[in-house]
Amino acid sequence: MKKAKAKAKSRSAGLSYNSILKVVILILLVVLAVYYVRAKIQIAAVQEELAQLEEQIETQKLINKDARLALREDDTYMERAAREKLDYAHPEERVFVDVSGIE
């Protein structure tokens, strides 16, 4: 009888260890699956953001190209910018500066 009880205890302890191991493995698999799904969601969000930024870059390139073409066609803008920002003048032109401070 003692041997039968000892075998029953060892079997129940073995089953308990196996069942605990199975539960731990199951929990580990669930945690890994959750992290995998989160990573996939984050990757999709970042890819969507990248696509939007690339679209904005293309739009800005078109705007820049149009601005460059406008500057080539319109010499008055370039002349005014040179006068106001760089204080340039034509070679035979006299520039008068009001130093009185009164506008």
Side-chain angles (χ1 to χ4, degrees):
M1 269 207 164
K2 288 185 180 181
K3 287 184 180 182
K5 286 184 180 179
K7 284 185 180 181
K9 283 184 180 179
S10 68
R11 285 183 186 166
S12 65
L15 290 176
S16 175
Y17 176 75
N18 285 338
S19 61
I20 291 173
L21 183 61
K22 287 178 184 179
V23 170
V24 168
I25 291 173
L26 181 63
I27 291 172
L28 181 63
L29 289 175
V30 169
V31 168
L32 290 175
V34 168
Y35 280 120
Y36 178 77
V37 170
R38 281 186 184 172
K40 283 291 193 179
I41 291 171
Q42 287 177 347
I43 288 170
V46 170
Q47 285 176 340
E48 183 179 332
E49 184 180 351
L50 177 64
Q52 290 174 353
L53 290 174
E54 287 175 346
E55 184 178 323
Q56 288 177 1
I57 288 171
E58 291 301 318
T59 303
Q60 190 62 43
K61 283 182 181 179
L62 290 174
I63 291 170
N64 291 348
K65 185 177 180 180
D66 289 343
R68 268 189 254 116
L69 290 174
L71 287 176
R72 284 185 191 166
E73 294 172 359
D74 189 15
D75 290 336
T76 58
Y77 173 79
M78 294 294 282
E79 184 177 338
R80 186 182 47 193
R83 287 177 186 272
E84 293 174 359
K85 295 180 182 177
L86 303 173
D87 294 328
Y88 282 6
H90 288 287
E92 295 86 28
E93 184 179 25
R94 287 189 182 184
V95 178
F96 295 95
V97 179
D98 184 12
V99 293
S100 67
I102 301 172
E103 292 187 27

